[in-house]
Amino acid sequence: MDKLPLHIVRRPELDRVFGLLRDNAYTLIGPTRRDGVIQYSEIRSLADLPIGYSDRQAPGSYELVKSETPRCFGFVHGADSWKRFLFPPKRRVFGASRQAGPKTPFDIDDLRSPPPAYAFVGVRACEIAAIGILDKVIGSELLDPFYRQARDKMFVLAVNCIEPGGTCFCVSMNTGPRVTRSFDLCLTELGEEFGVEVGSERGAALFKQLTSRPATAAEKELFRLLLERASERMGRHLETEGLPELLRKSIESPRWQTIASRCLACGNCTMVCPTCFCYNVVDSTDLKCRKAERWRYWDSCFTLEFSYLGATSVRYEISSRYRQWMTHKLAWWHDQFGTSGCVGCGRCITWCPVGIDITAEAAGFRETAPPRAVPLTPQQQAMPS
Amino acid sequence: MNIPGPLSQKPRLAVYKFSSCDGCQLQILELEDELLELAGEIEIAYFLEARRQALPGPYDIGLVEGSISTPAEERLIRQARKDCKVLVSIGACATAGGIQALRNWADIDAYKKRIYPRPEWIATLDVASPIAGYVYIDFELRGCPVNKRQLVEVLSALLAQRRPHLPTYSLCIECKRAGIPCVMVARKTPCLGPITQAGCGALCPKFNRGCYGCFGPAETPNIAALGRFFQEERNVSRPAMVRMLRSFNGYLEPFKTSSDDYEQCIQP
Ligand code: SF4
Ligand code: SF4
Ligand code: SF4
Ligand code: SF4
Ligand code: SF4
């Protein structure tokens, strides 16, 4: 496990790290406390971090509480993911304008502002895995230049999770809680100090400028124990053995209908999922019909428009939309991109307004008989099937 | 949605008002940046709230605010349909009946007697109805009031003869794009966002409040599921469910039937 040497820095050194990153023209984005949740937004110093707060997450429930230990990273992620910065929810693709009326030539402006060089602070292991998945999907297939540039420039200041959230299951998905790849520097909170691992040359160059000392044998042991304990305290568990095949066989299961009797088709799960990449492209014109713009928006397979083909939506019933979401994440993603589409972050569980738990629902398909089928509501009966 | 045929060289606009609070017409007047541009592209021929002079029809585009509540309004809307190539109802009153449609569940004669000294002078229809209950409508813009951006989008689309882009999915999608912390999850505040149509930019959650559904039902609202959750997990009573569904859009399906079901103690 302990391939990389562990160093120890004192807490105020983190402010040095932030300062050095800023000096190198990085825009620092990290966890902040806003309206009672952890949100990723611009930070400048240690004081901007929600020090002394921890989160309580459960299906459909999130609470930020003051904790006894004044840790800097005593919480896991909130609803935000780094996707918001690498693949923004709304983005202007290009504009076109012309001076005179119809049929006159027009100019295209695709002066897309390049992304800033982001330094992401407090990136968790599952989030690094999620960025790895986005790299495959958006970086290599959609070939979005904004994503590519943002991705190439970004600095990852990772944090090892020693206190997993109530809906986390990264251990099941083999993505955490320990950060092992694709980072520049990785922090582990060891009491009042930080354990630091260096993961790249960029990270090493920065680390050289800090005051540090090698970890003692006892500190290395503490580090190991904390991460081991974190692995054992996952809020959720998902049995992945044979899962894609199981879901494939369950396509006609009445269980989808049972889930749909609770699912609002609100799309929150796909919006917060750090690997969901679906988007819609919308054109608009102005009142004078001289300017047009093309915008890209995050989309969701829970909308009717998503599967609209010519005359109707293919996935009209909520059951078929939930099925699309779950089978894409846990089954078809393997065929499409060679990995699971789920990194076990638990966001979709916490931020589902009615607390539908993807791990529990997936486990349900392992039971032979579905639960008592819920009768169709008049609304559902009225829907064309 | 039909994309209407070509409009006149300088299209003529009429803005009608029926039973309503004028708030949606104010949204037009509040289009400060675009208003001059709009006046350049179209002739504002009939808009009593903005212009004293009323030019006679026919018109290319008619924007209709308010619900149909009186026999006179019924006559006028039929005439408006004849006068306008494209008729767009704007706001919850026009698309759903609005707040005044709550009287559709009450005894209107009792109201009249209680409020007016000479109730026999009050000419009113039995129910306050959305415009689409009387005439064919080309587009509907939801909201109480309508969203200015959506207004501009519909007018721009009509002028360019393209399809307007008006989402019909849940408000949650807009709310999440905007990065607003979910009030249901983080505050345990009941929010109608999951069953409400997007369009307002998640105004209420932005201010830490639950959405109260002023944009009306989303494309396939699972009211039963949200209602069960509210009752079982958020201590929302049946009468409260009825009140939540019966506000600006209470007279619009499926809010209407669901609210009736809750009232009659049927789980919708
Ligand atoms: S499916 Fe859910 S748990 Fe898995 S990565 Fe997406 S949000 Fe996280
Ligand atoms: S689950 Fe739905 S929104 Fe997410 S990537 Fe798949 S199809 Fe797109
Ligand atoms: S699973 Fe939950 S978050 Fe996802 S669409 Fe259904 S109700 Fe919304
Ligand atoms: S606050 Fe309301 S609208 Fe926003 S995500 Fe939550 S339930 Fe949906
Ligand atoms: S959040 Fe809901 S109630 Fe508030 S303005 Fe938007 S649609 Fe209306």
Side-chain angles (χ1 to χ4, degrees):
Chain A
M1 189 179 182
D2 305 288
K3 288 283 177 316
L4 296 168
L6 186 67
H7 310 273
I8 303 291
V9 302
R10 292 186 36 248
R11 195 184 266 191
E13 283 302 282
L14 193 53
D15 254 337
R16 290 269 309 279
V17 175
F18 291 175
L20 289 166
L21 285 168
R22 280 212 316 277
D23 293 346
N24 284 292
Y26 281 105
T27 301
L28 270 70
I29 309 285
T32 59
R33 189 165 62 96
R34 197 193 111 192
D35 291 332
V37 302
I38 295 294
Q39 288 202 320
Y40 291 152
S41 53
E42 189 159 355
I43 56 169
R44 295 190 62 79
S45 70
L46 201 56
D48 293 335
L49 296 177
I51 297 173
Y53 280 89
S54 62
D55 53 9
R56 292 207 188 116
Q57 301 199 31
S61 171
Y62 183 97
E63 200 187 350
L64 213 49
V65 289
K66 270 243 168 260
S67 66
E68 309 93 71
T69 46
R71 285 172 48 201
C72 291
F73 299 97
F75 41 80
V76 294
H77 47 71
D80 277 351
S81 70
W82 307 105
K83 172 174 96 169
R84 180 169 292 283
F85 299 90
L86 298 170
F87 188 66
K90 305 173 199 168
R91 196 165 150 67
R92 188 176 180 272
V93 182
F94 68 82
S97 57
R98 63 174 154 220
Q99 295 311 312
K103 302 214 171 84
T104 57
F106 53 84
D107 303 318
I108 300 266
D109 86 78
D110 65 346
L111 296 174
R112 279 169 281 183
S113 49
Y118 287 121
F120 293 145
V121 175
V123 184
R124 310 300 174 131
C126 64
E127 302 189 297
I128 288 177
I131 295 172
I133 291 178
L134 289 185
D135 281 350
K136 267 210 184 100
V137 180
I138 303 171
S140 330
E141 302 220 345
L142 298 180
L143 300 174
D144 175 13
F146 181 94
Y147 179 87
R148 212 45 273 171
Q149 290 170 37
R151 183 67 187 78
D152 289 343
K153 291 196 233 174
M154 79 182 193
F155 186 98
V156 174
L157 183 57
V159 167
N160 275 324
C161 292
I162 54 178
E163 193 67 61
T167 55
C168 291
F169 57 104
C170 57
V171 166
S172 307
M173 305 317 288
N174 201 19
T175 57
R178 188 176 175 196
V179 176
T180 54
R181 60 187 169 109
S182 310
F183 67 95
D184 295 299
L185 288 178
C186 179
L187 307 175
T188 309
E189 281 194 271
L190 303 172
E192 287 285 291
E193 292 175 314
F194 285 116
V196 182
E197 291 158 286
V198 177
S200 72
E201 278 170 26
R202 254 190 306 197
L206 198 145
F207 180 72
K208 270 209 309 255
Q209 302 175 64
L210 304 178
T211 310
S212 70
R213 63 174 172 82
T216 64
E219 282 160 343
K220 284 183 193 157
E221 182 60 8
L222 176 64
F223 172 92
R224 199 186 60 75
L225 282 173
L226 282 173
L227 280 160
E228 197 176 288
R229 201 182 62 144
S231 304
E232 289 159 2
R233 284 157 48 107
M234 286 291 131
R236 289 274 172 298
H237 168 78
L238 178 65
E239 179 53 60
T240 55
E241 187 60 41
L243 187 56
E245 295 69 39
L246 176 72
L247 291 177
R248 231 171 247 140
K249 277 190 297 194
S250 308
I251 286 303
E252 303 290 346
S253 167
R255 202 173 273 279
W256 301 112
Q257 193 58 52
T258 313
I259 306 173
S261 70
R262 292 166 58 215
C263 174
L264 310 168
C266 64
N268 269 301
C269 44
T270 56
M271 293 280 126
V272 295
C273 178
T275 67
C276 272
F277 55 84
C278 286
Y279 62 92
N280 194 5
V281 172
V282 175
D283 292 343
S284 66
T285 49
D286 71 343
L287 284 165
K288 283 191 184 320
C289 226
R290 297 259 169 88
K291 286 193 200 118
E293 286 192 337
R294 172 163 294 180
W295 283 75
R296 186 184 71 194
Y297 296 91
W298 283 357
D299 201 3
S300 165
C301 54
F302 279 96
T303 73
L304 273 190
E305 198 186 4
F306 189 93
S307 68
Y308 187 86
L309 289 180
T312 187
S313 290
V314 178
R315 297 190 197 104
Y316 199 90
E317 287 176 17
I318 292 178
S319 57
S320 64
R321 285 181 255 163
Y322 188 89
R323 183 176 64 189
Q324 162 62 21
W325 141 259
M326 188 199 260
T327 53
H328 191 207
K329 295 272 101 169
L330 301 177
W332 318 132
W333 208 289
H334 286 278
D335 306 327
Q336 213 180 348
F337 304 111
T339 64
S340 171
C342 173
V343 297
C345 72
R347 282 183 181 86
C348 59
I349 305 172
T350 300
W351 298 97
C352 171
V354 290
I356 294 175
D357 177 346
I358 192 171
T359 62
E361 299 307 336
F365 286 99
R366 292 193 188 272
E367 294 163 18
T368 41
R372 183 180 56 90
V374 173
L376 288 183
T377 65
Q379 273 171 37
Q380 286 164 339
Q381 280 168 3
M383 290 178 184
S385 50
Chain B
M1 239 185 296
N2 297 316
I3 301 173
L7 308 173
S8 319
Q9 201 57 37
K10 183 155 184 177
R12 308 181 78 222
L13 176 77
V15 181
Y16 298 92
K17 177 209 154 60
F18 295 92
S19 294
S20 59
C21 77
D22 290 31
C24 289
Q25 292 183 78
L26 282 179
Q27 289 295 96
I28 306 176
L29 293 174
E30 274 181 21
L31 284 174
E32 286 151 7
D33 297 338
E34 290 89 357
L35 207 56
L36 279 178
E37 214 172 293
L38 185 64
E41 295 310 304
I42 59 180
E43 182 186 7
I44 301 178
Y46 176 86
F47 186 4
L48 294 181
E49 180 135 338
R51 187 178 181 194
R52 194 169 306 161
Q53 191 187 11
L55 302 175
Y59 313 108
D60 292 279
I61 304 170
L63 300 180
V64 186
E65 177 199 88
S67 64
I68 302 302
S69 304
T70 67
E73 287 179 339
E74 181 182 347
R75 284 191 297 276
L76 181 56
I77 190 62
R78 295 200 192 283
Q79 187 58 42
R81 178 68 271 188
K82 285 185 194 138
D83 286 345
C84 298
K85 261 189 213 160
V86 182
L87 209 55
V88 183
S89 38
I90 59 167
C93 299
T95 58
I99 281 288
Q100 61 273 25
L102 291 180
R103 74 162 165 93
N104 301 351
W105 279 278
D107 177 356
I108 192 69
D109 286 322
Y111 272 18
K112 275 198 265 185
K113 282 189 195 115
R114 228 182 133 147
I115 296 165
Y116 301 100
R118 304 292 299 270
E120 66 276 16
W121 286 3
I122 303 299
T124 182
L125 296 169
D126 288 344
V127 288
S129 312
I131 303 297
Y134 285 86
V135 296
Y136 177 80
I137 283 292
D138 296 282
F139 299 110
E140 287 192 329
L141 270 188
R142 299 273 194 86
C144 182
V146 286
N147 174 285
K148 287 194 273 187
R149 299 280 124 236
Q150 289 206 333
L151 250 173
V152 172
E153 167 62 10
V154 159
L155 291 172
S156 306
L158 285 171
L159 293 172
Q161 287 182 53
R162 64 172 171 84
R163 186 185 290 262
H165 190 80
L166 303 172
T168 56
Y169 45 67
S170 78
L171 180 66
C172 298
I173 297 214
E174 256 188 342
C175 191
K176 274 288 176 298
R177 280 191 200 128
I180 298 166
C182 176
V183 301
M184 283 267 274
V185 172
R187 292 176 184 265
K188 310 280 174 286
T189 304
C191 178
L192 292 185
I195 57 169
T196 298
Q197 181 168 300
C200 71
L203 209 50
C204 296
K206 202 175 273 170
F207 293 95
N208 297 327
R209 299 183 40 160
C211 163
Y212 46 91
C214 84
F215 267 62
E219 50 197 17
T220 54
N222 195 343
I223 302 171
L226 190 65
R228 202 176 327 111
F229 181 81
F230 280 172
Q231 292 178 78
E232 286 170 9
E233 308 286 333
R234 293 289 180 270
N235 268 325
V236 175
S237 65
R238 270 178 181 281
M241 275 308 297
V242 177
R243 285 195 299 274
M244 280 168 94
L245 291 169
R246 275 186 206 161
S247 60
F248 313 90
N249 292 280
Y251 200 56
L252 188 60
E253 292 295 3
F255 282 6
K256 179 168 172 263
T257 299
S258 293
S259 75
D260 290 341
D261 288 348
Y262 282 113
E263 197 166 50
Q264 291 154 28
C265 296
I266 305 166
Q267 175 75 37

